[in-house]
Amino acid sequence: MKSLKLLNIELKNHLEEIKGEFIENLVQMLKGENADYLSGKTKTDIKALYFEYEYDYLDIITWAADKNGEIITGAVKLPGQRKKQIGESEEWTYFLPENIWNSASDFQEQYEEEDDFDDFWDEYNDEKYRLFESWFSDCWKKAAEKAQVTLDAYFSVHDTYFKTDLNTFTTISDDEIAKRYTSG
């Protein structure tokens, strides 16, 4: 059984391996390319990009909104084309590599009755999300610089009230975001 610390090292290595491709996906989003526009909208209508990740598997979904805060593209899963990791089953389509998921699940099943399990599990998850969010922020900075496009952009766990404003890297609420579109 791999230790939880080794799983986060594997995650960090995986993130570094796909970083270049992911930055290119972000550049395309910033430029309004490869988007499925709704209701006759075009890339010139983009005012903001939203990125939400799914808590368990780290899947990233993105979409664009217009100056009124209305969604103008279909949701897209990033990265655009996920390469299978060695040993992954054909059914595995998640961002988090299957071997990391399986090892973490095995650890949880084996040790969840231990007195200190919650401490180890919380530490593992805190580090996993810190690594992932830091990686995403770094990719965003590089993509924004490369695309030379300025848009509002927000990053968060799926369906949460608070998001990270990717231009300032500060926390912002859904209500504060909505005010940007109703008062502007």
Side-chain angles (χ1 to χ4, degrees):
M1 170 55 59
K2 298 176 185 175
S3 80
L4 294 178
K5 289 183 186 221
L6 288 178
L7 293 181
N8 279 331
I9 291 170
E10 282 186 47
L11 175 61
K12 184 176 181 179
N13 291 339
H14 171 69
L15 295 173
E16 286 303 312
E17 181 180 310
I18 66 168
K19 190 175 200 170
E21 177 187 346
F22 190 75
I23 290 169
E24 288 307 313
N25 285 172
L26 293 175
V27 168
Q28 288 178 344
M29 291 299 302
L30 279 160
K31 291 182 175 182
E33 299 171 358
N34 298 333
D36 180 21
Y37 291 95
L38 308 174
S39 312
K41 299 289 186 172
T42 68
K43 65 183 178 181
T44 60
D45 296 307
I46 297 175
K47 170 68 174 153
L49 295 173
Y50 288 81
F51 300 91
E52 289 187 351
Y53 69 93
E54 198 271 332
Y55 193 76
D56 290 329
Y57 298 105
L58 303 180
D59 287 346
I60 304 167
I61 304 296
T62 185
W63 66 91
D66 65 12
K67 65 181 179 176
N68 299 317
E70 299 295 322
I71 296 173
I72 63 168
T73 65
V76 175
K77 187 174 177 180
L78 294 178
Q81 293 189 344
R82 186 185 179 284
K83 294 178 185 155
K84 290 279 182 199
Q85 300 293 307
I86 294 173
E88 280 186 341
S89 63
E90 286 301 314
E91 299 82 30
W92 192 261
T93 61
Y94 304 108
F95 185 84
L96 185 70
E98 185 176 24
N99 67 315
I100 294 174
W101 173 261
N102 288 338
S103 294
S105 295
D106 290 347
F107 182 90
Q108 186 176 19
E109 285 177 22
Q110 185 174 0
Y111 295 106
E112 67 186 339
E113 299 301 321
E114 301 291 325
D115 290 337
D116 56 357
F117 170 78
D118 288 337
D119 293 336
F120 286 115
W121 193 247
D122 289 345
E123 184 179 319
Y124 161 70
N125 280 314
D126 289 347
E127 176 68 7
K128 177 174 74 174
Y129 298 118
R130 187 193 65 71
L131 284 170
F132 177 72
E133 291 172 2
S134 176
W135 169 81
F136 184 92
S137 296
D138 189 49
C139 289
W140 174 261
K141 288 174 192 172
K142 288 182 168 103
E145 183 178 299
K146 188 172 184 175
Q148 297 183 345
V149 174
T150 303
L151 294 171
D152 291 345
Y154 309 101
F155 179 67
S156 67
V157 175
H158 177 68
D159 282 343
T160 54
Y161 179 71
F162 291 103
K163 297 171 179 9
T164 299
D165 180 323
L166 291 171
N167 290 317
T168 63
F169 292 98
T170 59
T171 301
I172 186 168
S173 72
D174 284 342
D175 290 337
E176 291 170 308
I177 293 169
K179 284 179 188 175
R180 289 181 174 181
Y181 301 110
T182 57
S183 63

